[in-house]
Amino acid sequence: MNVNEAGILSSDPGLRPLELAYVDSRQLATLLRDGRQSLLGEIHFGRPLRVLDQVAHPHAVVGMPQLGGSPRAEVWTSDLPVTYQRHGNLAIAHNREVLFGTITCPDGGTDQFEWFIRDSYSRVLSVLRTEGYPYPLRMWNYFPGIADMIDGLDLYQVFCRGRFQALETHYGQFEGRLPSASAVGSVDGGPAIYFIAAREPGRNRENPRQTSAYHYPTKYGPRSPSFARATFKRWGTARGCLYISGTASIVGHESMHPDDPAAQLDETLRNLRVLIDGAQREEGANFHGFDSISHLKIYIRDPAHFELISSRLAPELSPQIPQLYLTAEICRRDLLLEIEAVVQERS
Ligand code: 3EB
């Protein structure tokens, strides 16, 4: 750690404020034992890889069973020292550059779900402001029963309305301030929200093949989904990272290729490629297409499609790219899969 005589962190560009890893239980134990990196947050999918009762840092267990390979957890770490705080069910960790947080609700019920979302988002936005990390870059939203109907809306549409209201109350006009996001249905357990925010803004990216989600027509719900297609962030002067939202087989605003998982995968990959190439051209990122993907999460509605999807995706990617396949409910009934990615310049 680089600390000068005044105890102030030097701005060594070699220090990494935010690192991501998908680790199996042995790698997780090693990481916890050697203590070289501080934990920002720890997200488990399906069965947790360890007992989390005594854990002080932000963490969540998401009810999305993993497919293929040995189960892994998503771990966010930092080379910088981290401070932890808790505000009820909102846990945060920050290191003067980045803030990582979770909101969990173990009791699960979707009663008053819209209130829960609005309240969660307003608390997150106000904590980010008071702690001095006012720019949310990336948010994950996982909740069970995403297709359940309440008063003529499905739960995803209710989620979108609650999120929209909180953003509007906090920011007023919010379009330029939206983080990238995923909003995906878990198959059991309670809702979990987690997020990354920074002291300095990232740059929002859209996809020219797709209508911006915040401009979707009202046939998808009374309030549009509020997220950017991707966020580009240069941490200090160092590595540029592109955080790509959950991306599906959507062109314009319409779902494409219903009932055809292979064609949905191909369409989704076209969308991902356009986002990566766009950031390379317009943000000056040193990306090399899919070779620059550092992490990939693939949400699959029907586990029976796993073989087909994974065997079709594998040849597109270098084999060492960490991937997490999760069983999940996608927010539109006609979508069979969704993929999110982190893309990074090589350090
Ligand atoms: C889409 O493109 C697919 O509401 O936060 C993907 C990523 C989707 C994020 C969200 C929704 C969200 O509309 C669904």
Side-chain angles (χ1 to χ4, degrees):
M1 199 60 60
N2 282 314
V3 180
N4 69 17
E5 284 156 61
I8 307 283
L9 283 166
S10 72
S11 50
D12 179 344
L15 286 180
R16 295 168 171 200
L18 182 66
E19 287 291 309
L20 169 60
Y22 297 155
V23 296
D24 64 21
S25 54
R26 194 180 46 79
Q27 294 165 323
L28 178 60
T30 306
L31 187 124
L32 296 170
R33 180 157 16 83
D34 82 8
R36 272 195 295 252
Q37 289 189 304
S38 307
L39 280 164
L40 287 163
E42 184 178 340
I43 313 297
H44 294 252
F45 296 91
R47 222 190 287 281
L49 301 185
R50 66 175 180 125
V51 177
L52 291 159
D53 299 348
Q54 305 296 322
V55 169
H57 55 265
H59 64 277
V61 179
V62 177
M64 294 184 182
Q66 297 189 35
L67 296 160
S70 62
R72 281 163 298 157
E74 174 180 340
V75 179
W76 294 87
T77 60
S78 168
D79 288 347
L80 308 173
V82 173
T83 303
Y84 302 107
Q85 280 161 267
R86 191 167 259 291
H87 308 260
N89 65 347
L90 166 60
I92 60 172
H94 52 95
N95 64 9
R96 302 185 186 202
E97 277 247 34
V98 51
L99 183 150
F100 184 94
T102 53
I103 286 198
T104 49
C105 183
D107 298 326
T110 47
D111 302 357
Q112 303 184 326
F113 180 71
E114 185 165 358
W115 177 88
F116 169 76
I117 292 301
R118 208 169 46 227
D119 176 66
S120 297
Y121 268 79
S122 5
R123 286 166 58 220
V124 167
L125 294 168
S126 72
V127 164
L128 295 184
R129 191 174 271 168
T130 50
E131 295 299 328
Y133 303 80
Y135 301 103
L137 301 181
R138 179 68 172 93
M139 301 204 58
W140 288 263
N141 307 277
Y142 295 138
F143 46 92
I146 197 168
D148 292 357
M149 299 300 292
I150 304 176
D151 299 334
L153 297 179
D154 66 39
L155 205 63
Y156 174 63
Q157 296 171 319
V158 173
F159 161 80
C160 284
R161 190 168 63 188
R163 172 174 61 179
F164 182 100
Q165 287 168 348
L167 289 162
E168 192 177 51
T169 303
H170 187 84
Y171 290 123
Q173 173 62 23
F174 58 68
E175 267 179 28
R177 303 176 168 260
L178 291 174
S180 48
S182 299
V184 187
S186 40
V187 301
D188 54 38
I193 294 174
Y194 63 101
F195 52 92
I196 297 166
R199 285 211 187 284
E200 303 296 332
R203 290 175 51 84
N204 290 0
R205 308 281 320 160
E206 290 301 311
N207 178 349
R209 303 183 81 238
Q210 296 185 312
T211 308
S212 292
Y214 46 82
H215 289 153
Y216 280 174
T218 49
K219 74 166 177 172
Y220 299 103
R223 286 288 177 265
S224 307
S226 313
F227 67 97
R229 295 295 178 189
T231 308
F232 183 73
K233 177 70 178 169
R234 224 172 250 296
W235 293 106
T237 54
R239 280 182 321 159
C241 295
L242 186 68
Y243 300 98
I244 301 185
S245 289
T247 301
S249 174
I250 295 176
V251 177
H253 51 75
E254 308 271 5
S255 306
M256 307 297 281
H257 323 295
D259 308 317
D260 187 344
Q264 288 202 8
L265 174 63
D266 295 349
E267 200 70 71
T268 301
L269 294 178
R270 280 192 283 277
N271 282 328
L272 291 171
R273 210 179 286 283
V274 162
L275 286 165
I276 296 170
D277 292 350
Q280 188 233 309
R281 267 195 328 274
E282 292 164 20
E283 306 295 340
N286 185 20
F287 291 157
H288 306 273
F290 284 180
D291 287 345
S292 296
I293 294 176
S294 73
H295 293 80
L296 212 56
K297 228 165 146 192
I298 303 105
Y299 305 94
I300 298 186
R301 178 186 293 279
D302 182 351
H305 293 153
F306 168 68
E307 285 302 331
L308 182 147
I309 291 168
S310 60
S311 63
R312 199 175 177 90
L313 178 55
E316 304 287 334
L317 301 171
S318 121
Q320 60 267 26
I321 297 175
Q323 298 164 48
L324 226 48
Y325 279 92
L326 303 173
T327 314
E329 209 176 344
I330 317 302
C331 61
R332 293 186 191 180
R333 269 163 239 273
D334 46 12
L335 294 175
L336 302 171
L337 61 101
E338 184 171 315
I339 301 180
E340 65 180 51
V342 179
V343 185
Q344 301 194 44
E345 290 177 344
R346 297 197 188 102
S347 43

